[in-house]
């Protein structure tokens, strides 16, 4: 196996830490986010249709077009 120091990889974490994460059974490890917002705030953000997003691409940029073309393709 190649050396992989990625901390997100469970193979690189102590057994106890992996077991503790597994015991949560898919429960979120953090609080917050869209689902925990006030319903009126959710509606306000949703009504903006993505305009509130801090998206990675400038609208119409070549990078955005390329990402769109790649969408769903495996690398």
């Amino acid at each position: 196996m190649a050396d992989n120091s990625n901390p997100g990889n469970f193979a690189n974490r102590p057994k106890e830490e992996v077991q503790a994460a597994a015991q949560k059974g898919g429960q979120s490890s953090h609080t917050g986010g869209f689902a925990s917002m006030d319903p009126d705030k959710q509606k306000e953000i949703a009504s903006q249709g993505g305009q509130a997003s801090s998206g990675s691409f400038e609208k119409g940029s070549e990078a955005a077009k390329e990402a769109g073309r790649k969408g769903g393709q495996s690398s």
Side-chain angles (χ1 to χ4, degrees):
M1 183 164 101
D3 180 36
N4 183 351
S5 61
N6 178 356
N9 185 339
F10 281 104
N12 297 325
R13 294 186 182 185
K15 183 178 179 181
E16 295 79 16
E17 187 178 334
V18 173
Q19 287 175 333
Q23 286 177 340
K24 291 181 180 178
Q27 295 174 1
S28 176
S29 61
H30 66 280
T31 57
F34 194 75
S36 66
M37 284 182 190
D38 175 80
D40 290 332
K41 182 69 173 174
Q42 285 182 352
K43 193 171 188 177
E44 177 188 335
I45 293 171
S47 71
Q48 295 176 14
Q51 297 302 314
S53 170
S54 61
S56 302
F57 302 110
E58 184 177 323
K59 191 171 185 175
S61 72
E62 281 302 312
K65 291 176 187 176
E66 180 64 21
R69 283 191 285 271
K70 289 182 176 180
Q73 296 178 359
S74 62
S75 50

